[in-house]
C-alpha cells in the first residue's frame, strides 16, 4: 500500500512501514506507510493548492463524480466486503449494512453540491440589496475510526467534498485500506481532481503527531472526528487554542428501555441485535438495558438463552454473529472490566470469558455503579441489564450517564414512548427500536460527553460552509465625517 497525497501514491517521507493485521488470524495483510507530521503537512499543502479549483467546480460536475463513486463501490462490493472482514473482523451482516449505507450516502451527497444556498435579507438601508451566502471553508481534516471503517470514513469526507471543500483523511491504523485508501482509489477513478482528497496513514501509537499537525496547521479550517471521548476532548482542547470548529461524534453508554407493555419476543431480538452487532464495537450499541419488573424475569431468561446461543468465530463465515475483537488490547480490556464487575458482585447470565481472539456475547446483571463496566463505554459484546420499577426510574438511571449519544425505547404505547424519548438526554432516540440505526440524511450526533455538531447530508451545510453577508448599496450614503 501507499499513501495518497496530491493525486499520487507515495511512500511515507521517512520510509517507514507497519503491518496491517487480520484480527482473526493475526496474518499480515499488507505493509502500509507509517506517515508522520511531514506527510500530513504535504497533504494539507496539496489540499490547499487544490481548493481554489475545486470550490469553483460546477455543482453538476461534483454531483457526477459522487454518482460515479457510488457505482464504482457497488461494482467492487465483494472486494470491499472481504477487506472489511480481513481488516476489522466485520461479519457479513454488518458488512452488508455498511455497503448499503455508503452507496446511499454517496448518492445523497451528490445532491449536497446544490445545497449550499443562501438567502436575500430585507435591509433598512434605502434600496440596499443584502444577501447571506454560503461558501466552502477550505481544507477539512477528517479523522475516522476503524470500527465502522467504510461508513465512518465516507461520512467524514463525503459532505465536505460535495460542498466544495478539500479534505485530508487520517484513517485508523487498524483499517488503513477499508477506512481510507479505498476512497482514494474510488474517487480517483470517479474523476476527483488531484489534491482534493488526500489520505495519510500512520503506525500504531503514532496518531498523535499527525493529529497535532492537522489541528495546528493554519490552512486547516475545520476538523471532524469520530472516536473515543478521551481523544475527542484532547482534540477539542487543541482546536480551541487555534479557534477551529470541530464536529465530534464520541462514545456512548447507550440505554435500551423496555417497558412492561412491550412485546417480549421482539424485545429479545431487538436487544440482541442492538447489543452484539459487530461484536458490540459500534458507538450506537446498547450498553445498558432497563427492563420493567413485570416482564423482567421472562425477558432475562429468553435474552440470556439467545445471547448464549449466538455463534462466534471467523468473520468470513456467514453464520458468525460475533467475530474477533479488533486487537488483543481490546480483548483484555473487556476481560478485565467484566472480571472487575464480577468480583464486585455482578452476575454473568451468558458468556463471560474469551475464546481465542473472540469474546462471546455476554449478559451481565447487578453491576455496581462504581465499576468501569457501568461508568465507561466498553467496546465489546457485553451488555448490562437492570430491573426497574417504572419508566421514571429507567429515565433517571439512563440520564445519570455523562454520555448521551443514542437510546431506544420499546413499548406497546407509541405516545408514551415519544413522551419518554423527549425526556431522554441523548442526541438520538428510537422508539420501538434498539439504538443502532442511522440514515445518511439524518442529524447524527450526541450531547454531553458524546460530542457536538451533527453529521448527516441534510445538516452538513451548517458544519462545513461559512456564512458570508454581502450587500450592494442602492444609493450613495451620507457619512458623519
Amino acid at each position: 500500500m501507499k499513501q495518497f497525497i496530491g493525486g499520487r501514491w507515495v511512500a511515507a517521507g521517512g520510509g517507514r512501514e507497519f503491518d496491517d493485521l487480520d484480527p482473526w488470524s493475526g496474518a499480515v495483510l499488507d505493509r502500509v506507510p507509517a506517515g508522520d507530521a511531514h506527510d500530513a503537512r504535504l497533504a494539507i499543502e496539496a489540499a490547499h493548492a487544490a481548493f481554489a479549483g475545486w470550490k469553483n467546480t460546477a455543482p453538476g460536475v461534483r454531483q457526477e463524480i459522487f454518482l460515479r463513486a457510488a457505482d464504482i463501490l457497488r461494482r467492487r462490493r465483494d472486494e470491499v466486503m472481504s477487506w472489511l472482514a480481513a481488516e476489522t473482523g466485520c461479519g457479513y451482516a454488518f458488512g452488508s449494512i455498511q455497503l448499503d449505507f455508503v452507496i446511499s450516502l454517496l448518492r445523497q451527497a451528490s445532491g449536497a453540491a446544490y445545497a449550499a444556498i443562501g438567502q436575500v435579507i430585507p435591509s433598512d438601508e434605502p434600496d440596499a440589496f443584502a444577501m447571506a451566502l454560503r461558501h466552502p471553508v477550505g481544507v477539512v481534516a477528517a479523522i475516522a475510526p476503524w470500527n465502522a471503517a467504510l461508513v465512518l470514513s465516507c461520512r467524514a469526507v463525503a459532505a465536505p467534498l460535495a460542498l466544495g471543500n478539500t479534505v485530508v483523511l487520517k484513517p485508523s491504523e487498524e483499517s488503513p485500506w477499508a477506512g481510507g485508501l479505498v476512497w482514494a482509489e474510488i474517487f480517483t477513478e470517479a474523476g476527483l481532481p488531484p489534491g482534493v482528497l488526500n489520505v495519510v496513514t500512520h503506525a500504531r501509537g503514532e496518531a498523535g503527531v499527525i493529529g497535532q499537525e492537522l489541528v495546528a496547521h493554519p490552512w486547516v479550517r475545520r476538523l471532524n472526528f469520530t472516536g473515543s471521548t478521551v481523544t475527542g476532548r484532547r482534540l477539542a482542547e487543541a482546536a480551541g487554542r487555534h479557534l477551529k470548529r470541530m464536529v465530534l461524534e464520541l462514545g456512548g453508554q447507550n440505554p435500551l428501555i423496555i417497558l412492561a407493555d412491550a412485546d417480549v419476543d421482539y424485545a429479545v431480538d431487538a436487544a440482541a441485535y442492538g447489543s452484539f452487532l459487530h461484536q458490540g464495537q459500534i458507538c450506537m450499541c446498547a450498553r445498558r438495558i432497563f427492563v420493567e419488573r413485570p416482564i423482567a424475569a421472562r425477558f432475562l431468561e429468553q435474552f440470556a438463552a439467545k445471547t448464549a446461543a449466538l455463534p462466534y468465530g471467523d468473520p468470513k463465515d456467514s453464520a458468525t454473529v460475533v467475530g474477533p475483537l479488533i486487537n488483543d488490547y481490546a480483548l483484555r480490556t473487556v476481560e478485565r472490566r467484566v472480571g472487575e464487575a464480577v468480583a464486585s458482585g455482578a452476575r454473568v447470565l451468558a458468556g463471560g470469558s474469551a475464546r481465542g481472539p473472540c469474546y462471546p456475547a455476554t449478559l451481565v446483571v447487578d453491576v455496581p455503579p462504581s465499576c468501569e463496566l457501568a461508568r465507561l463505554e466498553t467496546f465489546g459484546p457485553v451488555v448490562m441489564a437492570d430491573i426497574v420499577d417504572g419508566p421514571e426510574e429507567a429515565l433517571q438511571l439512563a440520564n445519570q450517564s455523562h454520555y448521551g449519544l443514542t437510546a431506544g425505547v420499546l413499548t406497546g404505547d407509541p405516545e408514551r414512548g415519544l413522551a419518554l424519548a423527549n425526556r431522554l438526554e441523548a442526541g438520538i432516540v428510537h422508539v420501538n427500536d434498539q439504538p443502532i440505526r442511522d440514515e445518511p440524511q439524518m442529524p447524527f450526533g450526541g450531547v454531553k460527553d458524546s460530542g457536538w455538531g451533527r453529521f448527516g447530508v441534510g445538516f452538513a451545510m451548517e458544519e462545513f460552509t461559512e456564512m458570508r453577508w454581502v450587500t450592494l448599496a442602492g444609493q450613495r450614503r451620507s457619512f458623519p465625517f
Side-chain angles (χ1 to χ4, degrees):
M1 292 185 191
K2 301 290 185 182
Q3 299 180 112
F4 191 71
I5 299 175
R8 297 173 54 241
W9 296 98
V10 297
R16 296 184 303 120
E17 295 181 330
F18 70 99
D19 292 337
D20 186 12
L21 300 175
D22 182 327
W24 168 250
S25 67
V28 176
L29 301 170
D30 208 334
R31 297 281 292 166
V32 185
D36 57 19
H38 172 74
D39 298 282
R41 197 172 308 119
L42 291 177
I44 293 166
E45 291 168 357
H48 179 72
F51 175 59
W54 181 242
K55 74 174 181 178
N56 292 317
T57 299
V61 174
R62 281 184 256 152
Q63 183 178 56
E64 280 297 323
I65 290 172
F66 272 82
L67 292 175
R68 283 196 294 269
D71 290 341
I72 293 165
L73 179 60
R74 184 174 57 182
R75 187 187 75 225
R76 298 180 64 177
R77 184 184 185 98
D78 290 345
E79 176 194 4
V80 174
M81 288 273 286
S82 177
W83 269 98
L84 284 169
E87 274 195 329
T88 69
C90 176
Y92 181 83
F94 190 49
S96 296
I97 290 169
Q98 289 198 68
L99 264 293
D100 292 341
F101 181 96
V102 170
I103 290 170
S104 177
L105 170 58
L106 290 169
R107 288 173 175 159
Q108 291 195 37
S110 72
Y114 290 98
I117 56 176
Q119 63 184 110
V120 175
I121 307 170
S123 172
D124 287 330
E125 290 290 330
D127 301 320
F129 186 65
M131 298 170 286
L133 304 178
R134 288 198 173 273
H135 292 261
V137 300
V139 179
V140 174
I143 302 175
W146 57 265
N147 58 315
L150 194 72
V151 166
L152 299 180
S153 58
C154 186
R155 188 182 73 177
V157 306
L161 289 174
L163 290 165
N165 302 287
T166 55
V167 174
V168 177
L169 171 62
K170 187 206 79 64
S172 167
E173 64 272 33
E174 304 289 358
S175 55
W177 191 87
L181 296 170
V182 62
W183 295 118
E185 294 181 9
I186 287 175
F187 275 112
T188 297
E189 184 180 346
L192 195 71
V196 175
L197 174 63
N198 307 271
V199 183
V200 179
T201 56
H202 61 86
R204 290 170 179 81
E206 298 181 8
V209 293
I210 294 177
Q212 289 169 14
E213 185 67 28
L214 295 176
V215 170
H217 199 293
W219 286 345
V220 175
R221 297 312 312 153
R222 286 286 193 281
L223 300 100
N224 69 72
F225 169 80
T226 300
S228 73
T229 297
V230 171
T231 302
R233 181 175 284 111
R234 287 201 299 263
L235 284 169
E237 289 171 351
R241 291 194 294 272
H242 296 278
L243 294 178
K244 293 185 182 180
R245 282 175 54 185
M246 291 193 73
V247 183
L248 294 170
E249 194 251 286
L250 307 177
Q253 190 79 319
N254 310 303
L256 174 59
I257 296 174
I258 304 173
L259 300 184
D261 57 0
D263 182 298
V264 172
D265 294 336
Y266 176 73
V268 168
D269 290 342
Y273 177 89
S275 302
F276 304 126
L277 183 66
H278 193 39
Q279 299 81 261
Q281 297 175 131
I282 303 173
C283 58
M284 296 176 280
C285 278
R287 308 291 178 195
R288 302 206 69 159
I289 296 173
F290 300 105
V291 56
E292 269 198 282
R293 192 172 298 280
I295 62 169
R298 182 182 165 202
F299 170 80
L300 289 174
E301 180 182 6
Q302 291 183 211
F303 186 44
K306 187 176 183 86
T307 300
L310 293 176
Y312 60 88
D314 188 345
K316 301 173 189 67
D317 183 342
S318 61
T320 295
V321 173
V322 178
L325 293 187
I326 189 63
N327 54 38
D328 188 65
Y329 177 80
L331 184 68
R332 301 309 162 202
T333 298
V334 173
E335 260 191 329
R336 178 176 57 78
R337 289 183 179 176
V338 172
E340 180 206 22
V342 170
S344 301
R347 293 182 295 123
V348 175
L349 300 188
S353 60
R355 296 290 185 269
C358 299
Y359 200 92
T362 297
L363 171 61
V364 188
V365 296
D366 301 330
V367 178
S370 60
C371 292
E372 286 188 8
L373 197 62
R375 293 185 295 106
L376 305 176
E377 180 186 43
T378 298
F379 234 49
V382 179
V383 66
M384 296 166 283
D386 295 278
I387 299 172
V388 295
D389 287 318
E392 290 301 320
E393 183 182 3
L395 183 72
Q396 179 187 9
L397 291 171
N399 285 344
Q400 281 178 358
S401 173
H402 55 87
Y403 295 103
L405 183 56
T406 183
V409 179
L410 303 181
T411 175
D413 184 345
E415 290 185 5
R416 187 178 172 203
L418 285 173
L420 199 59
N422 283 322
R423 297 172 63 197
L424 278 164
E425 295 171 0
I428 305 159
V429 183
H430 302 301
V431 177
N432 283 335
D433 204 348
Q434 43 69 52
I436 301 177
R437 183 176 173 184
D438 193 12
E439 296 180 51
Q441 74 276 20
M442 298 300 177
F444 192 97
V447 299
K448 301 194 286 189
D449 282 4
S450 291
W452 64 60
R454 291 296 180 268
F455 290 94
V457 172
F459 299 84
M461 184 174 64
E462 296 292 334
E463 309 292 353
F464 299 112
T465 63
E466 297 278 18
M467 181 71 79
R468 187 174 300 171
W469 176 36
V470 178
T471 67
L472 174 63
Q475 56 184 271
R476 291 191 176 189
R477 296 181 60 192
S478 61
F479 301 100
F481 57 86

